[in-house]
Amino acid sequence: SPVGGYTNVAELEFYNGTTKLQGTAFGDPGGPWNGLPERAFDKVFDGNTATFYDGNNSQDGYVGLTLTNCGGATNRLAAEVNLTAEEMAFTVTVNPNPSTGRANVRVNLPEAGLVSLSVLSPAGQVLVNQERNGVVGENPFEVDYGHFPNGLYLLRVQSQGRKAVLKLVKLQE
């Protein structure tokens, strides 16, 4: 995660061609948020999109995988993201997630412009769509997808040629 941001990752997989790589999860020494074991970094590799790593470290958080049956110095993989300052200024956060179908979305913009938020089904069907002019800095939105069945949805946010796609998990009330 960028400096000042917290690491939040639902699922991560590493592949060699079409073979899924296996191993032991590792993460930043800050640990999970408030020490909660259900938000530990090993949840990133459990295959369940309803569980996630919620990092407690706001300074360079990370999560990775130490590969099994792989000797030498190349047995550790970590997700690395190199963003420009402008790209880091475009951020999208969702809280709570998972939720019962109503979530607060915060879109941070490096420049003013039209912001489009869409909730999509896993098949890509647009279920909810909002558009409005955003300002430089933080722009709050509320999305309501509570009238749809429980499950996994996607939140697509677009503005000024930038795009972010996040998973939304809807649980029973």
Side-chain angles (χ1 to χ4, degrees):
S1 65
V3 173
Y6 290 89
T7 306
N8 300 107
V9 181
E11 284 301 311
L12 187 61
E13 295 178 344
F14 293 106
Y15 287 83
N16 180 10
T18 58
T19 303
K20 182 178 173 183
L21 302 176
Q22 301 293 319
T24 305
F26 66 89
D28 65 79
W33 184 255
N34 290 331
L36 297 171
E38 65 271 18
R39 294 189 177 180
F41 53 75
D42 63 330
K43 301 303 181 200
V44 172
F45 301 100
D46 68 359
N48 181 354
T49 57
T51 62
F52 56 95
Y53 175 50
D54 190 5
N56 201 36
N57 180 3
S58 66
Q59 302 296 317
D60 302 317
Y62 60 89
V63 64
L65 191 66
T66 300
L67 302 176
T68 55
N69 300 322
C70 183
T74 60
N75 67 336
R76 284 173 62 98
L77 292 175
E80 181 179 328
V81 179
N82 295 312
L83 300 175
T84 66
E86 183 177 282
E87 289 169 324
M88 285 192 307
F90 175 71
T91 58
V92 179
T93 58
V94 178
N95 188 29
N97 191 24
S99 78
T100 57
R102 185 176 299 271
N104 296 308
V105 179
R106 301 225 182 279
V107 180
N108 192 58
L109 296 176
E111 60 186 342
L114 186 66
V115 179
S116 173
L117 270 76
S118 302
V119 176
L120 298 102
S121 72
Q125 177 187 10
V126 176
L127 305 173
V128 176
N129 195 41
Q130 295 182 33
E131 285 189 345
R132 77 165 195 239
N133 288 320
V135 298
V136 172
E138 189 172 286
N139 294 269
F141 291 83
E142 183 178 72
V143 291
D144 182 2
Y145 54 104
H147 50 286
F148 296 108
N150 294 335
L152 177 67
Y153 295 90
L154 299 174
L155 173 68
R156 181 178 59 204
V157 180
Q158 296 174 292
S159 182
Q160 304 299 311
R162 297 171 182 87
K163 180 167 63 169
V165 178
L166 293 87
K167 293 179 185 177
L168 295 174
V169 178
K170 180 180 182 286
L171 303 175
Q172 283 184 335
E173 293 186 41

